[in-house]
Amino acid sequence: SKLLPDVQKLDHKISVDTGAPNIEVPNEAVTYDSGWKTNEYLSAPAFETKFGNEDFSAELKEFSKVWSVIKEGNKLVAMLYTFRSCSQALKDVQVAANTPQDVKQDIYQKEFKIFRPEVVKLCVLMRFHERATELFKRLIQSLTKPEKRKEIHSQLKLDLVVKLLDLLIKLDKLKDMKSNLVNDFARYKRAIQLIGASLSNKKDLEAEVFQLQAFLCSPAHSHGLIIWTAKNKLKDVRNSDDVIFLLLEHCKDALETHRYLLPDEEHMHLRVIMYLMYILDAEKGSQKGINAFRESRARFALSLFKHQPIIPLLGDMQIQIKYDLNECQNWTDQLRESIDDTSPKVMEFYMISTKKRVEIRAEYSSYTSKFSSLINKVRAIKGQTNFTERIDEKLCAKTFNTLKEGLALLSKWNSQIRMQAAYKCAHPIGDEKYKAAGGTGQKGHEYERVVRFAYTKEELSTLVDVIGMLKGLGSLLQKSETIFIDLCWRFIHDKMQDFVHGMLTRPMRKAYKAKRNQILRIMKIMREICGDYIPGAEMAEDYKQVKKDILEIEHKFPKRFTPPTVDQVVLMRRMMNYICSDRAEGNKGGMFKKRDLKKEWQDDWIKLYNEAFFFQYLLNFKESLRESMDLSYLWYREFYLNMTKQPQFPIDMSMPWILTKSVIHGAQMKENIIYPMEIYNDAAELALSFLDQRYLFDEIEAEVNLAFDQLLIHLSREVFIYFKTLAGSILIDSEFATAYERFKAGSLRVPVSRYTTLMSQRTVRLLGRVVNLQVLLAQHVLNNFRKNVDGILKKFMSSPLSSAVEIKALLDNARLAHALASTQLPLDSFGVIFKEYDGRVSLNQGCGKIATQIAEELCQDIFPQWTFCSGTRRFVPSLRIYGEKYVREIHKVKLPKYFWYGNGYNHPNGQIQGPYKNFFGAEHIHALLSILDTADIPYILKEVISSIERALGEALMPSMEKVQQVLQKAPIPLPAGHLGPAVAYQGLWNNSLVKAVRAWPALKTVFFQSLREIGNAFAFVHLLESILNERSDEQFTQVAFYLAIKPHPPTQHGSQPPMTPYIHENKTSPLYGTISKVYEMLGGGSLMQQEIKQNMMKSEQYMNGIVNSRRSIFAAMLRRVSTILETVEVFDGSAPANGVLDTHSGSDFARVFSVAQFIFCVSPTKIIDGKEVLSDIEEHAKLGDGFAWGGCILVHLLGYAARFEMLDLCNHILGIADSDDTTRDLGLTPDQKKKLAKTSQTSALNVGAMETTAMKKFMYNARYAWSVNNMVFSTIRSYCTVDPVKNLRFSPPKAS
């Protein structure tokens, strides 16, 4: 008593709730069996209940024997239902005639040993059916005795007769269903015949075989032998028809008054009514007997059959009334046709329609609200001290009625599910619907027709919802059992005490006065059996007092939370019925007879009598709840396995998995996804507790393992798709999305999240194993993210750098989806996943796959095979490639479409990213910098420098020597300007040295190509640096406000520039000031303010270091190349002949590049049909601005920039054109034409070709090259200055 309050405090204070929603049925780790559910009535003999011819205790003892027979029969039912044929598993051995006799004996000896245990089971069944039918006959006979026909029949006895008959029905149907029983018996019989001589008990075995053959293969009754035996034995029982009618009325009354609380009990009464009609009716072919279907007392059965023509039997078995009554003599075709089990009314009754779903949902909502209110009230009372005194009779009554209502609702919903399943099994879909649904006629297609393809999507959705409500309510009751069960017991205890203390007193006084000693004796026995008294306050003779004193008696009894036993309840009800029944002698009344109970007393007694019927269910609440929630029949398929001769069906035909899959692919009810899996728990419990078959449990376990793996795969895929789609909807441009929605309405919708509950579920119990669903789901989702990142990187490896923007978008989507999923699931960091697949997990590895691929793409694809445009700062694929085309390794990426942007977002993102795939520019470098690690940039720059060095040393320098050899042969004089640019162009074009240079085969493929590679490399580095500066400036701008930094005001003209790039006044940062004020308002100390200030100072120092230590990558690259050029002499050429400057000859790089650029600007043309057209692609279209970038940078770094700008051939021609306005259109003046005509006969000039398309193209190209050259030189000069090659000193000439 001292420890109890402390334990109660712990119950309220210790909480192990994880916060996860409850979406499964809790399993019992430890159970306690109180013994109240036993039907052996062990305590009945302890009570003295014998008076006259009645002995209620002895009656219970006889009932316990019936219960033992029923219990034994249930084991046989389990054996028959789960019977698997050995002959089906063993091939029939065909022994050849010449086989040695000892070999034959050995074969059949082994067959005998294999089949003997199975035949023993059949022998047990055969003997049991004889005993059970004989017991049924005795029970019927005991009710037909003349003295018994006048007595009040025990309701329990009638219930036992009904249960026994139902057992016989199940055994009979199972025996007929299992065709493999006969097959095994035939193999066994053959084995005995062949080895009988070697058996010591041959005669006994042969006799046993003879009996079994008559039992299994009766020629007169091949079907329904057990029930026929029971019917046949009743022929010798007089007045048995009256008992059959009594049982029919008993079953009818049970159905009408709902005197049952478990789902199978309703169907039991229906089955028994049907076979009672069979027993009552005349036998087939017999002219004797009655017509059961015309009897007025049984007429209700026909209307009942029309309303419910299909009755669930066991597992996947059912009874179809119109076929099962064919053995009745008076079951005519007209009666059979009157039962239409396909009518809309019948279908509406059996199917769980949307209307029924709404009704069940309303019942569920109403009950859970009422139950939760009750539980909260009980918890509040139990949380108080001395709570036992605060619990009153109304609260206990409300608790009892609420629990009874809950069990009734569960049984009602369970019964509806069972009836729908039975109806589907009785009406398989036709061939057309089967093929339309995807049926292929595979093995076991009969089961497919009643399960896999029998349910529509709406029916599956409704069924899952109802199962969710059933399991959810059952879970609520099971979890709250410890809270309310003692109040329920208190109600039962107090109700019985109210009866024996109060309601019995006046009837006892009446019986005492009327000298009804037998009735008074029964009432005293009820007090002795059920009474609970306060010590010293026993009521021995209170009924002897006068009425007034009796009414004033205050009945007190202990308020206990201990319930009575089942024996006490049964005995009390039996004796109550003996007194208050309308058939009781004391209640018949008459003119000269007085009733034992007044009318108002009798009504109260009958009310308590009916209410006490349900006490047994509440006393055994655990078992009642388990049976009410049991949905194992949705998994069991033994009937169809036997019919199709299959060892087992695939998981796609399993109803629990079909329901689970419908939840996964459905738009709603994700919270119910675990409840269909509970069917496996129910099936496993039934396999171990009732069917007692380990192999069934193993089959269930194997399917659960597969189903749960499939569930995780499907569920993780749905969760992954949801987060990918959600990320896609967040990242897509809103204006584009709006426009796209107008183009394709409804395509960019994101499904509502229904996965939050599932992702927070940490414990799921399956077959006794506790599974952390959240962790397993996280593993599968993480695996999908790994596949996603791997696929994106493989896609990047297989694509040119122009796909960088798309790759960044894909990674952004994956990163955001991962971040969203990480809020619900414990996932690894996305950065870790990315580094793992990028190959940056090793400490000794400098860079990852992405950096390596980018460097390779730049050096082998972008630089040598793409053209650069200075105006747009973009690289585009070259129209013609010099050298071998770069072939990258193609990685096959086989991933579903939803792995990229989620469902519905691939096409719009493809429209957005599509234009970026045609070029490589600033947008792509921005994308690459977002993907790359900071340490990867130096590696890429190193590879770029290496490519420049290779281009210089392996291509440019050798080709430079070849060109120098040509130019050193003779000078190339600058054309005279007085004849105009056309003559100058013709003169240079026809120059022998120029011809020799452009005739060199490797000029374009080697010299031009190497300059293009060098120029593209420098252009890329310059573009990279500008973007890095933009990103750095953006970062600094974002932080500057929080550090109280602002830019300098504009400087006046002529004033000194500022020493620092920004102003940092010694003022408090706005952020720091705001935080400090908040801490002061909240009473924070100065220590916190000091810590914040120190952190801000560290940030300021970091930003100062970034700004002050900024260095130019492009300048460093220029210096690096300049260092290389200083060691090379080939670019300097030969010294000028005059020692100062040679304007007509020279072989330095400036002159070589000038000649090369002149050839570069010339467009190839040809005459077709008298018109001049381009004969080939222009060099600029092939090489782009990279050629000019490479040449100008090298010219500048060699110190020849001024010399180049002064003596460049293209610039010279442009200067001639700019000096005379008349030649700006590239035409010739009349004087020039006359002069040229005179000299054309002695020169190689072609006057007619001077105003051609080629000339115009050249002038355009030369002007463009001049602009690019100027831009490049100005860019280089802004980064570095290069001293001239030699310091020249000019002096006046010496006096002669």
Side-chain angles (χ1 to χ4, degrees):
S1 61
K2 293 181 180 180
L3 294 176
L4 185 59
D6 296 334
V7 174
Q8 292 169 355
K9 291 178 182 178
L10 291 176
D11 183 43
H12 294 286
K13 289 187 177 182
I14 295 180
S15 176
V16 293
D17 188 13
T18 61
N22 179 34
I23 59 171
E24 63 163 350
V25 179
N27 295 66
E28 299 177 21
V30 179
T31 58
Y32 168 70
D33 187 0
S34 64
W36 295 328
K37 67 180 180 181
T38 178
N39 296 316
E40 297 177 1
Y41 307 120
L42 298 178
S43 63
F47 305 112
E48 182 63 37
T49 59
K50 185 175 181 179
F51 51 90
N53 296 326
E54 299 293 341
D55 189 349
F56 298 133
S57 296
E59 187 180 60
L60 283 187
K61 189 175 180 180
E62 293 297 321
F63 290 168
S64 67
K65 296 179 180 179
V66 179
W67 274 115
S68 63
V69 173
I70 293 175
K71 185 178 180 180
E72 182 183 356
N74 285 332
K75 291 183 178 180
L76 291 174
V77 168
M79 181 273 295
L80 278 177
Y81 183 69
T82 59
F83 189 89
R84 299 283 179 89
S85 174
C86 294
S87 58
Q88 183 178 340
L90 295 174
K91 292 183 179 180
D92 193 4
V93 181
Q94 300 295 332
V95 182
N98 58 354
T99 304
Q101 187 64 26
D102 57 340
V103 176
K104 291 182 181 180
Q105 288 288 325
D106 183 61
I107 292 174
Y108 291 113
Q109 282 283 357
K110 291 180 179 179
E111 281 199 0
F112 176 79
K113 291 180 180 179
I114 291 173
F115 288 103
R116 179 58 188 170
E118 309 304 318
V119 173
V120 169
K121 297 177 184 178
L122 298 182
C123 293
V124 172
L125 173 64
M126 178 182 64
R127 298 186 185 99
F128 176 81
H129 112 273
E130 295 173 354
R131 289 190 292 111
T133 52
E134 186 64 29
L135 175 62
F136 178 73
K137 173 187 174 181
R138 290 202 308 270
L139 289 173
I140 298 296
Q141 195 170 18
S142 66
L143 295 170
T144 58
K145 293 179 181 179
E147 65 274 12
K148 293 291 183 180
R149 293 175 65 187
K150 297 180 181 180
E151 292 180 358
I152 300 95
H153 299 301
S154 168
Q155 189 183 82
L156 178 59
K157 186 173 185 177
L158 297 178
D159 286 339
L160 287 175
V161 175
V162 169
K163 289 180 183 295
L164 181 60
L165 181 57
D166 184 60
L167 173 65
L168 295 176
I169 294 170
K170 289 180 179 179
L171 290 174
D172 198 26
K173 300 298 290 185
L174 286 169
K175 169 184 167 295
D176 295 340
M177 180 266 289
K178 292 289 184 176
S179 60
N180 49 24
L181 296 175
V182 179
N183 298 333
D184 285 11
F185 174 71
R187 295 279 294 272
Y188 173 78
K189 180 181 177 182
R190 184 180 65 178
I192 286 183
Q193 291 174 350
L194 295 173
I195 65 170
S198 62
L199 298 175
S200 59
N201 55 345
K202 178 182 178 182
K203 292 185 179 180
D204 295 337
L205 292 176
E206 289 178 348
E208 184 182 78
V209 167
F210 180 79
Q211 294 175 355
L212 274 177
Q213 187 164 1
F215 175 65
L216 295 175
C217 310
S218 173
H221 297 279
S222 58
H223 292 85
L225 176 65
I226 296 177
I227 294 296
W228 177 84
T229 303
K231 177 180 181 178
N232 191 52
K233 287 186 176 183
L234 294 183
K235 291 181 179 180
D236 302 332
V237 180
R238 295 182 59 186
N239 301 318
S240 61
D241 295 345
D242 294 337
V243 179
I244 300 300
F245 284 120
L246 176 64
L247 292 173
L248 282 171
E249 185 64 26
H250 176 76
C251 293
K252 176 188 174 184
D253 181 66
L255 291 173
E256 290 177 349
T257 60
H258 296 281
R259 197 177 64 246
Y260 54 84
L261 205 57
L262 299 179
D264 189 57
E265 291 179 340
E266 177 186 5
H267 305 141
M268 176 190 68
H269 288 104
L270 292 171
R271 293 190 294 266
V272 169
I273 288 175
M274 191 198 78
Y275 277 93
L276 284 174
M277 295 294 290
Y278 165 73
I279 294 173
L280 186 63
D281 195 65
E283 191 175 348
K284 194 79 171 179
S286 174
Q287 301 299 325
K288 298 181 180 180
I290 62 175
N291 187 344
F293 301 100
R294 289 188 177 181
E295 288 290 329
S296 59
R297 289 178 291 178
R299 195 167 296 169
F300 75 94
L302 192 58
S303 60
L304 188 65
F305 296 160
K306 292 179 181 179
H307 183 60
Q308 300 185 46
I310 298 170
I311 308 172
L313 180 63
L314 182 66
D316 55 337
M317 298 177 63
Q318 68 285 330
I319 294 174
Q320 292 183 264
I321 294 177
K322 64 180 181 180
Y323 301 124
D324 283 55
L325 288 178
N326 283 336
E327 296 299 320
C328 295
Q329 171 68 27
N330 298 292
W331 184 247
T332 61
D333 294 339
Q334 183 180 1
L335 290 175
R336 186 183 304 106
E337 292 173 359
S338 66
I339 298 179
D340 185 7
D341 53 5
T342 60
S343 65
K345 187 176 181 180
V346 173
M347 288 184 64
E348 183 182 0
F349 174 77
Y350 278 92
M351 304 305 294
I352 306 178
S353 60
T354 305
K355 180 181 178 181
K356 287 185 179 179
R357 178 184 186 176
V358 173
E359 293 174 355
I360 293 174
R361 172 64 64 182
E363 292 171 346
Y364 174 81
S365 301
S366 174
Y367 182 81
T368 51
S369 176
K370 179 168 59 176
F371 184 79
S372 299
S373 176
L374 175 64
I375 288 299
N376 292 335
K377 184 177 181 180
V378 173
R379 281 175 175 166
I381 293 176
K382 286 190 172 183
Q384 301 175 9
T385 57
N386 298 326
F387 68 90
T388 55
E389 300 177 359
R390 300 176 182 272
I391 296 176
D392 54 11
E393 183 180 351
K394 291 183 178 179
L395 181 61
C396 295
K398 186 177 181 180
T399 303
F400 176 85
N401 292 326
T402 302
L403 290 182
K404 190 180 79 170
E405 181 185 356
L407 290 175
L409 285 175
L410 291 176
S411 297
K412 174 185 174 184
W413 301 343
N414 195 330
S415 175
Q416 186 64 61
I417 296 173
R418 185 172 297 192
M419 288 192 297
Q420 178 176 259
Y423 188 85
K424 291 289 186 182
C425 290
H427 297 86
I429 61 174
D431 292 338
E432 293 184 4
K433 289 185 178 180
Y434 175 70
K435 292 179 181 179
T440 58
Q442 60 178 316
K443 293 181 179 179
H445 65 89
E446 296 88 350
Y447 191 61
E448 271 189 320
R449 294 173 184 267
V450 299
V451 173
R452 184 180 181 184
F453 298 129
Y455 292 84
T456 64
K457 291 183 179 179
E458 184 179 357
E459 289 173 345
L460 288 174
S461 174
T462 301
L463 182 56
V464 169
D465 194 21
V466 174
I467 289 175
M469 288 185 282
L470 186 148
K471 292 292 185 179
L473 180 56
S475 174
L476 183 64
L477 292 173
Q478 187 172 345
K479 287 179 64 177
S480 306
E481 180 187 1
T482 56
I483 300 174
F484 58 67
I485 195 64
D486 51 350
L487 274 72
C488 185
W489 294 343
R490 167 80 174 268
F491 170 79
I492 297 174
H493 174 270
D494 291 357
K495 202 70 177 176
M496 293 183 67
Q497 299 313 310
D498 285 337
F499 172 73
V500 298
H501 285 75
M503 294 176 62
L504 269 179
T505 306
R506 293 187 64 188
M508 289 177 70
R509 180 178 180 274
K510 184 176 178 62
Y512 172 72
K513 289 178 61 179
K515 299 188 183 302
R516 297 276 295 170
N517 296 330
Q518 185 176 0
I519 300 299
L520 181 61
R521 171 65 179 156
I522 294 174
M523 293 182 182
K524 287 183 178 181
I525 292 175
M526 280 194 283
R527 276 193 167 181
E528 293 174 1
I529 293 175
C530 304
D532 187 8
Y533 303 98
I534 298 174
E538 293 83 357
M539 294 180 297
E541 297 182 350
D542 57 338
Y543 59 90
K544 294 182 179 180
Q545 300 180 29
V546 297
K547 177 181 178 181
K548 180 179 179 182
D549 295 338
I550 291 176
L551 294 175
E552 293 178 353
I553 295 176
E554 183 180 358
H555 301 286
K556 293 183 179 181
F557 52 85
K559 304 294 184 180
R560 302 183 191 275
F561 291 93
T562 303
T565 64
V566 174
D567 297 8
Q568 290 175 295
V569 175
V570 170
L571 286 172
M572 186 191 78
R573 291 189 73 246
R574 177 69 178 98
M575 289 184 280
M576 287 180 68
N577 188 40
Y578 188 86
I579 297 174
C580 71
S581 174
D582 290 335
R583 295 185 60 189
E585 183 179 354
N587 285 330
K588 291 180 180 179
M591 183 177 298
F592 301 103
K593 298 179 69 175
K594 291 185 178 181
R595 298 167 58 94
D596 292 334
L597 297 177
K598 293 183 179 180
K599 187 64 174 64
E600 59 272 19
W601 297 349
Q602 186 181 17
D603 293 342
D604 293 338
W605 278 49
I606 292 175
K607 181 180 178 181
L608 177 60
Y609 174 78
N610 292 330
E611 189 176 37
F613 173 80
F614 299 99
F615 286 176
Q616 56 181 324
Y617 297 101
L618 276 298
L619 289 175
N620 187 23
F621 181 76
K622 287 181 184 290
E623 187 66 20
S624 300
L625 182 61
R626 189 195 65 79
E627 292 187 30
S628 300
M629 296 168 58
D630 181 26
L631 298 175
S632 58
Y633 52 85
L634 292 177
W635 182 84
Y636 282 99
R637 66 292 290 262
E638 295 300 313
F639 171 76
Y640 282 93
L641 288 175
N642 176 78
M643 181 175 70
T644 59
K645 301 187 184 305
Q646 295 298 311
Q648 194 51 263
F649 294 126
I651 189 175
D652 286 337
M653 297 186 192
S654 179
M655 196 63 192
W657 175 242
I658 293 172
L659 294 173
T660 304
K661 221 168 38 167
S662 71
V663 179
I664 295 172
H665 298 302
Q668 298 178 350
M669 302 185 304
K670 302 300 181 185
E671 298 86 350
N672 292 340
I673 199 168
I674 301 300
Y675 288 133
M677 299 293 287
E678 287 289 338
I679 298 173
Y680 289 118
N681 287 335
D682 295 339
E685 174 69 22
L686 189 70
L688 296 178
S689 62
F690 176 69
L691 301 177
D692 197 20
Q693 298 293 347
R694 177 56 189 265
Y695 73 86
L696 278 178
F697 180 84
D698 293 339
E699 290 180 358
I700 296 168
E701 186 178 28
E703 184 173 319
V704 166
N705 293 336
L706 178 59
F708 193 72
D709 288 342
Q710 293 295 316
L711 169 64
L712 287 175
I713 292 171
H714 284 78
L715 185 58
S716 62
R717 182 179 62 194
E718 293 294 320
V719 171
F720 178 75
I721 292 174
Y722 167 73
F723 284 117
K724 289 288 290 183
T725 307
L726 180 61
S729 66
I730 294 173
L731 292 175
I732 195 168
D733 183 73
S734 58
E735 295 183 2
F736 179 85
T738 303
Y740 190 85
E741 278 285 343
R742 289 197 297 267
F743 166 72
K744 198 173 182 180
S747 59
L748 299 182
R749 293 180 181 176
V750 180
V752 180
S753 173
R754 308 280 295 192
Y755 305 101
T756 304
T757 302
L758 288 174
M759 289 184 288
S760 60
Q761 194 72 15
R762 298 182 181 178
T763 56
V764 174
R765 294 173 178 85
L766 290 173
L767 308 187
R769 295 173 292 179
V770 179
V771 180
N772 193 327
L773 179 62
Q774 186 185 58
V775 171
L776 293 177
L777 187 59
Q779 290 176 356
H780 283 74
V781 172
L782 182 61
N783 188 39
N784 283 334
F785 276 112
R786 291 178 181 274
K787 290 181 181 178
N788 190 17
V789 173
D790 184 42
I792 293 172
L793 293 186
K794 286 183 178 179
K795 186 181 182 70
F796 178 67
M797 300 293 179
S798 306
S799 306
L801 281 185
S802 57
S803 65
V805 175
E806 180 188 17
I807 299 301
K808 177 184 178 297
L810 291 171
L811 285 174
D812 287 344
N813 181 279
R815 185 179 288 106
L816 179 58
H818 180 275
L820 294 171
S822 296
T823 60
Q824 305 289 338
L825 298 171
L827 303 177
D828 292 346
S829 169
F830 186 82
V832 173
I833 301 173
F834 184 75
K835 287 183 178 180
E836 178 183 348
Y837 283 95
D838 191 28
R840 286 191 275 125
V841 293
S842 177
L843 295 176
N844 58 1
Q845 187 170 356
C847 61
K849 297 178 183 178
I850 295 178
T852 305
Q853 180 69 15
I854 292 173
E856 182 179 345
E857 290 282 338
L858 286 172
C859 299
Q860 299 187 28
D861 186 31
I862 297 294
F863 297 162
Q865 299 181 2
W866 289 52
T867 61
F868 178 70
C869 178
S870 301
T872 60
R873 299 202 305 173
R874 292 177 177 177
F875 294 88
V876 295
S878 179
L879 297 179
R880 181 172 296 173
I881 298 173
Y882 291 130
E884 295 182 2
K885 185 177 180 180
Y886 172 63
V887 179
R888 61 183 57 84
E889 183 182 357
I890 302 299
H891 300 271
K892 294 183 179 180
V893 182
K894 296 181 180 180
L895 291 177
K897 293 181 179 180
Y898 59 78
F899 265 81
W900 306 125
Y901 297 100
N903 277 342
Y905 284 85
N906 287 332
H907 185 265
N909 277 281
Q911 296 292 317
I912 294 174
Q913 311 301 336
Y916 293 100
K917 295 182 179 181
N918 300 323
F919 66 94
F920 176 76
E923 298 87 348
H924 301 80
I925 296 178
H926 272 293
L928 293 177
L929 290 175
S930 300
I931 299 172
L932 288 169
D933 190 71
T934 307
D936 293 333
I937 298 177
Y939 169 78
I940 295 174
L941 293 175
K942 177 185 175 183
E943 292 298 317
V944 171
I945 292 175
S946 299
S947 70
I948 295 174
E949 292 178 353
R950 287 193 299 270
L952 283 172
E954 298 176 5
L956 186 61
M957 290 171 59
S959 61
M960 177 69 184
E961 294 176 354
K962 295 287 185 181
V963 178
Q964 282 179 337
Q965 293 174 4
V966 175
L967 296 181
Q968 288 174 356
K969 294 179 181 180
I972 301 177
L974 294 177
H978 66 280
L979 292 178
V983 177
Y985 165 74
Q986 283 288 336
L988 289 174
W989 182 250
N990 294 315
N991 184 276
S992 59
L993 295 181
V994 175
K995 284 184 178 181
V997 172
R998 59 188 174 91
W1000 180 43
L1003 175 67
K1004 296 179 180 179
T1005 58
V1006 180
F1007 187 79
F1008 284 10
Q1009 176 68 14
S1010 60
L1011 285 180
R1012 189 257 291 271
E1013 291 184 25
I1014 295 171
N1016 283 354
F1018 274 105
F1020 167 75
V1021 174
H1022 182 259
L1023 183 59
L1024 174 63
E1025 181 178 12
S1026 64
I1027 294 171
L1028 287 173
N1029 291 337
E1030 289 178 13
R1031 295 166 68 90
S1032 179
D1033 293 341
E1034 180 182 1
Q1035 180 183 6
F1036 180 76
T1037 304
Q1038 293 172 350
V1039 179
F1041 168 76
Y1042 300 101
L1043 299 179
I1045 295 174
K1046 61 182 180 179
H1048 284 282
T1051 56
Q1052 297 181 358
H1053 180 69
S1055 60
Q1056 291 292 332
M1059 299 297 294
T1060 59
Y1062 55 84
I1063 301 175
H1064 185 199
E1065 300 176 351
N1066 294 325
K1067 293 183 178 181
T1068 303
S1069 166
L1071 177 64
Y1072 172 72
T1074 303
I1075 295 177
S1076 299
K1077 290 180 180 179
V1078 172
Y1079 269 97
E1080 289 177 1
M1081 294 173 61
L1082 297 175
S1086 59
L1087 183 61
M1088 182 63 71
Q1089 298 178 7
Q1090 185 178 358
E1091 183 178 353
I1092 296 173
K1093 190 171 183 179
Q1094 289 177 354
N1095 290 334
M1096 296 189 66
M1097 289 176 63
K1098 292 179 182 178
S1099 301
E1100 179 185 348
Q1101 293 173 2
Y1102 172 73
M1103 293 307 302
N1104 291 341
I1106 291 178
V1107 174
N1108 297 328
S1109 63
R1110 181 180 294 179
R1111 297 291 183 268
S1112 172
I1113 298 174
F1114 187 70
M1117 185 79 72
L1118 291 173
R1119 289 192 296 270
R1120 171 67 175 168
V1121 176
S1122 178
T1123 304
I1124 297 173
L1125 294 176
E1126 288 177 359
T1127 62
V1128 181
E1129 297 181 355
V1130 68
F1131 293 103
D1132 295 333
S1134 58
N1138 57 8
V1140 181
L1141 181 64
D1142 193 345
T1143 60
H1144 298 294
S1145 63
S1147 58
D1148 55 69
F1149 184 76
R1151 176 50 63 93
V1152 173
F1153 178 65
S1154 178
V1155 174
Q1157 194 168 49
F1158 173 78
I1159 299 173
F1160 180 85
C1161 293
V1162 175
S1163 301
T1165 59
K1166 62 182 178 179
I1167 304 299
I1168 298 178
D1169 297 332
K1171 293 183 180 180
E1172 185 182 14
V1173 295
L1174 291 174
S1175 62
D1176 198 1
I1177 302 172
E1178 294 182 302
E1179 292 302 321
H1180 183 270
K1182 301 176 187 176
L1183 304 176
D1185 294 347
F1187 175 82
W1189 272 79
C1192 292
I1193 287 174
L1194 293 180
V1195 167
H1196 184 84
L1197 294 179
L1198 290 169
Y1200 297 135
R1203 183 184 303 181
F1204 174 79
E1205 291 177 339
M1206 181 175 63
L1207 301 177
D1208 179 37
L1209 300 179
C1210 293
N1211 287 353
H1212 181 72
I1213 296 175
L1214 291 176
I1216 296 173
D1218 292 339
S1219 64
D1220 189 355
D1221 292 339
T1222 60
T1223 61
R1224 286 190 179 275
D1225 59 351
L1226 304 183
L1228 299 175
T1229 62
D1231 294 336
Q1232 291 173 344
K1233 290 182 179 180
K1234 290 179 181 180
K1235 293 177 182 179
L1236 290 173
K1238 294 179 181 180
T1239 59
S1240 61
Q1241 299 176 356
T1242 59
S1243 66
L1245 294 177
N1246 184 0
V1247 179
M1250 291 184 182
E1251 293 180 318
T1252 60
T1253 302
M1255 179 63 192
K1256 295 179 181 180
K1257 286 284 185 181
F1258 169 78
M1259 293 301 294
Y1260 174 81
N1261 293 338
R1263 289 189 183 278
Y1264 181 79
W1266 174 81
S1267 64
V1268 174
N1269 293 345
N1270 288 340
M1271 186 270 295
V1272 175
F1273 282 132
S1274 62
T1275 300
I1276 298 171
R1277 292 187 182 105
S1278 66
Y1279 283 91
C1280 65
T1281 58
V1282 180
D1283 297 332
V1285 178
K1286 294 179 181 180
N1287 293 326
L1288 302 178
R1289 177 177 296 177
F1290 294 92
S1291 303
K1294 297 180 180 180
S1296 56

